[in-house]
Amino acid sequence: MRNLIGAEAFKLAKSLGFKLLLCVNIVSTLIYPILFAVGAKATGYQIMLNASVDVLHHGFIGYLYAAVFLCREFSNRTYAASLLCGYPRWKIFLAKAVVFLSGLLLLFGVYVGLSTMYGSIANGFGMEVSLKTVWNVFGQAVCGLAGCAVMGAVMLLVAAIARRAIVTLGLGIGLTYGFLWLETTFRNHPLPFMKYIYTYQIGQIGYAGEDFGLGLFWGVMIITFLAALAAAAFLFEKAELK
């Protein structure tokens, strides 16, 4: 298992597509704080919250990443070659999932971290340095990382369903836009099931304030993550890998 994960990590480190996505992420962290911090005088803490729940950005970058790192393996028949080496499918999938999620968390961390730093340089962090502030920032960061991991699990599922890069990208971004459209359209009269959708709960991190329900958030995150990961593993197990 360690060898499989090492091999996947090596492929990710050598991937030109992943390096380009890192560059896009860095450039976007330069643009976002300039537009948001200068115009709205937002503090670093406010930018951290907004960047953490920027589902559209993370979704777009994430599905591009999934198309490059996951779907190419189907077209290149890399998965089938791994089977010929004697590895069971669940190990191949698990190694791919571990490295994919690690890369996604790196992309997330770069975007949020650099955006927060630039915003803090422009307008200050906006909170006093204290143990309470450190604990608050740590809690927000953990929730943001959890949301990113859940999005990654859903991306694994979409990639396992579509298996083609262009279909994965279109289906994934369409799914993300669809959830956000429902939230925006029915904001004044919310649909009863929307609060159980992962994109809605991710948004609550930054915008709900005292109405943010930590128990509901973690319940939705854990169930969605496990369900999406299990469904993706099942589809991968049943997929025809030629």
Side-chain angles (χ1 to χ4, degrees):
M1 189 64 193
R2 183 184 302 176
N3 291 336
L4 272 177
I5 293 177
E8 293 296 338
F10 179 79
K11 283 192 288 186
L12 181 63
K14 293 296 182 180
S15 172
L16 177 60
F18 183 71
K19 292 176 181 177
L20 289 174
L21 285 175
L22 273 175
C23 291
V24 169
N25 233 15
I26 293 172
V27 171
S28 63
T29 61
L30 294 172
I31 297 174
Y32 178 77
I34 290 173
L35 295 177
F36 190 75
V38 174
K41 298 297 181 182
T43 63
Y45 181 70
Q46 290 172 320
I47 287 183
M48 183 190 77
L49 292 180
N50 283 275
S52 297
V53 301
D54 192 352
V55 174
L56 279 181
H57 175 272
H58 300 312
F60 183 74
I61 293 294
Y63 280 109
L64 276 173
Y65 171 41
V68 169
F69 188 62
L70 298 176
C71 297
R72 190 177 61 179
E73 302 286 283
F74 285 106
S75 59
N76 291 347
R77 301 181 180 179
T78 309
Y79 295 129
S82 298
L83 288 176
L84 293 176
C85 294
Y87 293 110
R89 289 195 180 206
W90 69 269
K91 283 190 175 183
I92 297 172
F93 173 81
L94 184 58
K96 199 74 177 180
V98 167
V99 175
F100 173 78
L101 292 174
S102 299
L104 189 66
L105 292 175
L106 175 61
L107 292 169
F108 174 89
V110 167
Y111 179 70
V112 176
L114 290 181
S115 295
T116 303
M117 183 182 72
Y118 297 146
S120 298
I121 292 172
N123 299 319
F125 187 68
M127 296 183 73
E128 296 181 358
V129 179
S130 65
L131 184 60
K132 182 179 180 181
T133 298
V134 172
W135 182 250
N136 186 22
V137 171
F138 175 75
Q140 295 288 352
V142 170
C143 289
L145 290 172
C148 178
V150 170
M151 290 186 69
V154 175
M155 291 169 187
L156 282 166
L157 175 58
V158 172
I161 292 172
R163 293 196 283 177
R164 294 176 59 188
I166 189 65
V167 179
T168 296
L169 185 60
L171 181 61
I173 293 177
L175 182 69
T176 305
Y177 266 106
F179 285 150
L180 294 179
W181 178 83
L182 286 173
E183 293 171 23
T184 303
T185 304
F186 298 98
R187 180 172 297 169
N188 296 326
H189 303 283
L191 300 173
F193 64 84
M194 282 308 300
K195 64 180 180 180
Y196 303 111
I197 302 298
Y198 69 98
T199 54
Y200 177 87
Q201 286 299 321
I202 291 173
Q204 298 303 291
I205 298 172
Y207 304 132
E210 294 181 356
D211 295 330
F212 176 57
L214 196 59
L216 180 60
F217 171 82
W218 282 108
V220 171
M221 293 296 107
I222 291 172
I223 292 173
T224 304
F225 180 82
L226 294 177
L229 203 60
F234 175 80
L235 290 174
F236 185 81
E237 185 71 27
K238 300 300 180 181
E240 188 174 346
L241 304 176
K242 296 182 178 180

